[in-house]
Amino acid sequence: RIENLAAWTCYISKRDALLARAAQQQQQQQQQRQRRRAGGGGGGGGFIVPSSWSSQPDPSTARTFHVLNGSKEYDMVATAFHSSLSNSDKSTIRIVTIKRIENLAAWTCYISKRDALLARAAQQQQQQQQQRQRRRAGGGGGGGGFIVPSSWSSQPDPSTARTFHVLNGSKEYDMVATAFHSSLSNSDKSTIRIVTIKRIENLAA
């Protein structure tokens, strides 16, 4: 573990700015969707359907369409599919065909749930941002008003970066180990093992 208070405060400032910007963009997109729905159109009873769909999808049925190889839609789906494969699978699995299902009932249900989740996430981000600002205003936390991770030293040195061994079996160790293993392919999981985990406390970063 490296304790560098200067690097940590810099990271927190940038992260909070990005979260605030993302929450604002989500709110703006939500408002735009609500305005466009209020005006109807798009063949979806006020919902915006994907541009690749039929201009007037049938709301009573689900239809299947072959996606043209080489089209923008085909390339987008193929890229997303390949990114979900492990490195070993990418060399053996190939796409034969891609089909698009136009199901207006399922689509409107998905959009409603997605927008509700986005609105909730934006609200939570805004609340967390406000909480951080209030806690900073009161100082404390050993970071000049910034909140450092609970696993850090109570008073990290803002002028240096420090490294600490993370105790095997601790909550911090298990969390990092789980995240590391989840990033490995199935073949690597059986051959790669963790020898040690260190925490870097760098307040500036």
Side-chain angles (χ1 to χ4, degrees), residues 61-166:
T61 61
R63 301 175 63 190
T64 305
F65 298 85
H66 280 279
V67 178
L68 183 65
N69 191 342
S71 66
K72 184 177 180 180
E73 181 183 12
Y74 187 100
D75 294 340
M76 180 181 67
V77 175
T79 300
F81 174 72
H82 281 129
S83 67
S84 69
L85 301 176
S86 64
N87 290 331
S88 57
D89 287 339
K90 287 178 181 178
S91 60
T92 57
I93 295 177
R94 68 184 184 88
I95 296 174
V96 177
T97 185
I98 294 177
K99 294 182 180 180
R100 178 177 70 254
I101 299 175
E102 296 185 4
N103 185 326
L104 198 58
W107 175 256
T108 52
C109 179
Y110 157 73
I111 288 295
S112 296
K113 292 180 179 179
R114 183 198 65 180
D115 289 352
L117 288 173
L118 287 175
R120 190 181 308 162
Q123 184 180 14
Q124 290 174 345
Q125 285 180 342
Q126 188 175 14
Q127 290 173 346
Q128 291 170 356
Q129 173 75 0
Q130 291 171 348
Q131 288 175 353
R132 282 191 291 267
Q133 289 173 344
R134 286 195 296 269
R135 292 177 66 178
R136 284 182 194 164
F146 285 87
I147 306 166
V148 298
S150 58
S151 58
W152 278 33
S153 308
S154 58
Q155 292 293 330
D157 187 343
S159 62
T160 61
R162 301 174 64 191
T163 306
F164 298 83
H165 280 278
V166 177

Side-chain angles (χ1 to χ4, degrees), residues 1-3 151 162-168 170 172-173 195-201:
R1 178 178 72 249
I2 297 178
E3 297 184 2
S151 58
R162 301 174 64 191
T163 306
F164 298 83
H165 280 278
V166 177
L167 182 64
N168 191 341
S170 66
E172 181 183 11
Y173 187 100
V195 177
T196 186
I197 294 176
K198 295 181 179 181
R199 177 174 70 253
I200 300 174
E201 296 187 4

